[in-house]
Amino acid sequence: MLDKSIQYYDVIMKRKMGTLIPSPYLPDGFRFAFFKLGDEKSWAEIETSVGEFKDVNYALKYFQDNYLPYLNELAQRCIFIENKEGVKVATITNWWNYTGFRQDPWVHWMATHPQYQSLGLGKAIVFKAMMNIKEIDGDKDVYLHTQTWSYKAINIYKKAGFNITSEHGLGGYENNNYEKALLILEKYIR
């Protein structure tokens, strides 16, 4: 869940190529699954459940506009964790952003439904995503955008080898409040 009680600042993180990828471990009763048509509703429900969107319809429209036109890419880049009943409970999307003319791999939209948090699913799906990015895009620097409100996720990203970066202009993010974000996060980052 987002912690909106603290000041919001953008945070950009970078995982350098060559960084070791820990093996993803899922507790019994859970499995990884890749996107198939119709899963967009599950994605919207998960992302809305953690406060990333104001309602499921808004999240669904965002997904339909930004990802659904790339169905072949989604099938290999959007990952879910399902419980033993086949209900999708966590998601992450490996995508790309451009910095000038350079296309870089980026992590978009990682979330675990609140009912399933604190089980290690967030860590497992991030590790799985890093393996997936390496397989698809090769061993490259990987980036992600997050925010101070997501300090719990930042701790997970750090376990996957990401570090907060002060670089500007990556993937369309200015990253102008790097120092202010660090001041807030120093209380929450392990």
Side-chain angles (χ1 to χ4, degrees):
M1 295 290 289
L2 301 177
D3 182 351
K4 295 184 179 180
S5 70
I6 63 174
Q7 179 70 39
Y8 175 98
Y9 290 112
D10 291 313
V11 175
I12 305 298
M13 300 186 78
K14 177 181 183 176
R15 186 179 179 281
K16 292 183 179 181
M17 74 169 124
T19 303
L20 264 155
I21 302 169
S23 295
Y25 167 78
L26 285 176
D28 289 340
F30 295 94
R31 64 183 172 265
F32 293 110
F34 283 88
F35 178 88
K36 59 187 180 315
L37 198 56
D39 288 342
E40 57 271 22
K41 184 147 179 14
S42 294
W43 183 92
E45 289 169 350
I46 295 166
E47 292 295 342
T48 302
S49 76
V50 298
E52 289 286 3
F53 292 92
K54 63 181 180 181
D55 64 51
V56 172
N57 290 329
Y58 185 76
L60 187 58
K61 176 156 179 27
Y62 178 91
F63 190 92
Q64 290 168 335
D65 291 348
N66 291 282
Y67 298 115
L68 211 48
Y70 307 97
L71 199 51
N72 290 336
E73 293 291 334
L74 274 175
Q76 61 180 343
R77 292 180 178 273
C78 184
I79 305 169
F80 292 95
I81 294 176
E82 297 176 339
N83 67 14
K84 62 185 172 189
E85 289 82 28
V87 175
K88 290 170 176 49
V89 299
T91 187
I92 196 167
T93 305
N94 296 328
W95 214 246
W96 59 84
N97 287 18
Y98 288 92
T99 300
F101 292 107
R102 186 182 83 212
Q103 179 180 320
D104 296 311
W106 280 67
V107 174
H108 289 192
W109 301 107
M110 187 275 288
T112 302
H113 191 284
Q115 181 181 343
Y116 293 90
Q117 291 177 4
S118 299
L119 299 175
L121 302 181
K123 186 168 52 171
I125 204 164
V126 171
F127 295 173
K128 176 71 170 174
M130 292 305 93
M131 295 172 80
N132 181 253
I133 283 177
K134 186 174 180 182
E135 184 178 307
I136 295 169
D137 296 312
D139 190 8
K140 297 180 177 180
D141 292 342
V142 180
Y143 301 91
L144 63 83
H145 166 268
T146 188
Q147 62 268 332
T148 49
W149 290 350
S150 296
Y151 58 83
K152 290 179 183 177
I154 291 171
N155 282 310
I156 293 171
Y157 297 137
K158 288 182 70 60
K159 290 176 183 169
F162 282 91
N163 289 300
I164 297 170
T165 182
S166 62
E167 295 175 71
H168 294 280
L170 295 170
Y173 296 100
E174 291 307 314
N175 207 20
N176 290 332
N177 292 307
Y178 166 78
E179 292 85 8
K180 291 177 183 176
L182 282 184
L183 283 175
I184 289 173
L185 291 173
E186 66 185 11
K187 294 185 255 186
Y188 303 100
I189 301 302
R190 294 176 279 224

